[in-house]
Amino acid sequence: MTTPVAIINARIIDPVNGRETRGGVLCANRKIVAIGQVQVPSGAKRIDAKGTIVAPGFVDVGVFSADPHACAAGGITRVALMPDQSPVLDDPALVARATAARKPDLWVHPLAAATRGLEGLELAEIGLMKAAGAVGVATGRRWIASSGVMSRLFAYANAFDLPIIVHAEDGGLADGAAATAGETATRLGIPSAPSVAEALAVARDLMLAEQAGAHVHFRQLSTRASFDLIRQARKRGVRVSCGVSPAHLLLSDIAIGAFRTYARLSPPLRSEDDRLATIEAVRDGTVDLICSGHDPRGTDDKRLPYADAAPGMAGAETLLALSLTLVRDEVISLPRLVAMLSSTPASLLGLPAGQLKVGGDADLVVFDPDAPWRVDDDKMQGQAGNTPFDGLPVQGKVTATIKGGEIVSR
């Protein structure tokens, strides 16, 4: 039995119903036991939200590291772990081990490798990995070149009712590239690929998913052409969803600056036109969810010539603060943003999370949407602090993260 936790004087965001109310939330025995005007029992741990917000804990789809300190600091209570681990998550025993890791502070939901060793050649044992705890299938950091393998993957995963989470960059164009083709890459002399590499991959996988009746989720999209393809596919009834990262909403390829390796990402930062198209796709509902793309890299991976540096950034701790820009700019409402960070990703993966209801798991985040702070890579809580937003003043800070009724960060 755990000590009850009572959050009082809060703005309560219910992302499922898209509404905001005032009051509190009482948790006991790992569950939510009351919402609204709650009676605080004696001996309960009390969190006075002082008019700030309580919402379901965030669910981050497609992290490359189950980084508990970074997640707790960012209000993330569940992560879907990419299969690009060492060893690769292409075996039921490895999936089972990953499922059990980090509990109870952070729940890890593995994504099974689509192919053995993520080599794109031979399908892995998807059914056995689902039984071991996998909640989806992913192609990893790479694109699967063989359309035949992808076709069988969609059919196979659909038979097990699992979403296929895809990295969309045509390798024939993008292999060896470190930036998107354009003025910045040309000026800096960085090997680059045209942005159509993304749309080409999206177009193929949409057609194959449509043929199989499968659910394809594009982990991070970043170009106008890709979002247009998603819109067209939805009109045909294709089961498709997609995510974006705050980096691609807020930064263009200009952020590469003087070979700033912290801004080397995958997909790469795009043109300003594509960045604006990404915001518009959030506004009109084409984008389903926002993910951090958390991929912490050590200095040995980043302090290299730009083209040799590893792509990726530490994103978990800044996910909320950067995403709140969409609310302040009136692109979306606060309940919609919370849904994109919690209930929608939970629904994608079939998880019992992302909602506020009596009897539900007590996974919560308390945050002040107006609290100012400055991103400082030297003060990040996670495994590494590589972020292209180092030094940026932001607003919106997590003040408490609660997992299973226990306070894991405050």
Side-chain angles (χ1 to χ4, degrees):
M1 180 175 293
T2 60
T3 302
V5 173
I7 305 165
I8 60 173
N9 300 323
R11 296 165 56 192
I12 304 169
I13 300 292
D14 175 356
V16 175
N17 296 298
R19 66 188 179 195
E20 176 181 332
T21 57
R22 302 265 177 170
V25 179
L26 178 62
C27 311
N29 299 323
R30 311 189 71 81
K31 301 291 184 182
I32 296 173
V33 297
I35 301 172
Q37 300 307 311
V38 301
Q39 297 295 320
V40 181
S42 61
K45 295 178 182 176
R46 182 186 295 250
I47 297 176
D48 188 345
K50 299 179 180 177
T52 62
I53 291 167
V54 61
F58 302 144
V59 180
D60 198 2
V61 176
V63 302
F64 289 89
S65 172
D67 193 344
H69 297 297
C71 289
I76 296 165
T77 52
R78 296 174 185 254
V79 297
L81 180 66
M82 292 293 283
D84 312 57
Q85 307 297 309
S86 181
V88 170
L89 299 181
D90 62 357
D91 180 89
L94 298 172
V95 169
R97 187 173 70 178
T99 302
R102 307 303 185 191
K103 288 182 178 178
D105 293 350
L106 174 69
W107 277 25
V108 178
H109 302 283
L111 300 172
T115 56
R116 295 190 185 279
L118 289 172
E119 294 179 350
L121 301 175
E122 182 183 358
L123 293 185
E125 292 289 353
I126 294 170
L128 294 177
M129 287 192 283
K130 178 181 180 181
V135 295
V137 182
T139 63
R141 286 190 172 95
R142 290 181 287 179
W143 180 69
I144 292 179
S146 168
S147 297
V149 171
M150 280 303 288
S151 179
R152 291 192 292 277
L153 171 63
F154 280 123
Y156 195 25
N158 189 45
F160 289 102
D161 194 26
L162 288 171
I164 302 98
I165 297 169
V166 171
H167 178 78
E169 276 188 296
D170 185 312
L173 287 173
D175 278 356
T180 198
E183 179 183 342
T184 301
T186 300
R187 177 168 49 81
L188 298 176
I190 298 174
S192 62
S195 63
V196 73
E198 182 178 285
L200 285 171
V202 170
R204 184 200 69 171
D205 290 345
L206 283 172
M207 295 179 73
L208 293 175
E210 183 174 13
Q211 176 180 268
H215 180 180
V216 58
H217 176 78
F218 295 98
R219 186 173 61 88
Q220 289 184 37
L221 294 184
S222 57
T223 69
R224 182 181 295 279
S226 297
F227 295 121
D228 286 344
L229 288 168
I230 299 294
R231 295 182 183 104
Q232 295 164 17
R234 285 200 174 134
K235 289 178 181 177
R236 303 196 304 272
V238 180
R239 297 171 63 198
V240 56
S241 53
C242 66
V244 297
S245 79
H248 294 91
L249 289 163
L250 300 178
L251 300 176
S252 71
D253 58 347
I254 295 174
I256 294 173
F259 303 100
R260 294 184 66 217
T261 57
Y262 279 13
R264 183 174 177 198
L265 307 178
S266 177
L269 295 174
R270 303 294 188 183
S271 68
E272 180 64 7
D273 178 69
D274 280 327
R275 186 186 76 83
L276 295 175
T278 304
I279 294 173
E280 189 55 37
V282 172
R283 188 195 307 273
D284 69 13
T286 303
V287 172
D288 299 273
L289 59 89
I290 300 174
C291 58
S292 73
H294 188 65
D295 192 3
R297 300 284 193 170
T299 53
D300 289 346
D301 291 325
K302 284 295 189 182
R303 288 183 180 173
L304 294 169
Y306 190 90
D308 297 329
M313 62 170 280
E317 294 177 61
T318 55
L319 174 62
L320 172 69
L322 298 175
S323 299
L324 278 166
T325 303
L326 295 167
V327 177
R328 281 191 289 277
D329 291 348
E330 300 182 345
V331 176
I332 55 175
S333 67
L334 183 56
R336 168 91 191 286
L337 174 62
V338 172
M340 295 179 80
L341 295 172
S342 59
S343 58
T344 302
S347 178
L348 166 71
L349 302 172
L351 302 177
Q355 50 187 318
L356 293 179
K357 67 175 184 180
V358 173
D361 288 349
D363 297 350
L364 302 167
V365 58
V366 184
F367 65 91
D368 182 346
D370 301 315
W373 59 289
R374 184 182 296 273
V375 180
D376 185 340
D377 62 358
D378 288 331
K379 296 181 179 178
M380 302 286 268
Q381 300 293 312
Q383 296 172 353
N386 56 294
T387 168
F389 297 100
D390 182 37
L392 182 72
V394 294
Q395 279 181 275
K397 192 169 185 60
V398 172
T399 55
T401 301
I402 298 160
K403 179 77 189 81
E406 296 279 0
I407 300 171
V408 296
S409 174
R410 188 179 182 187

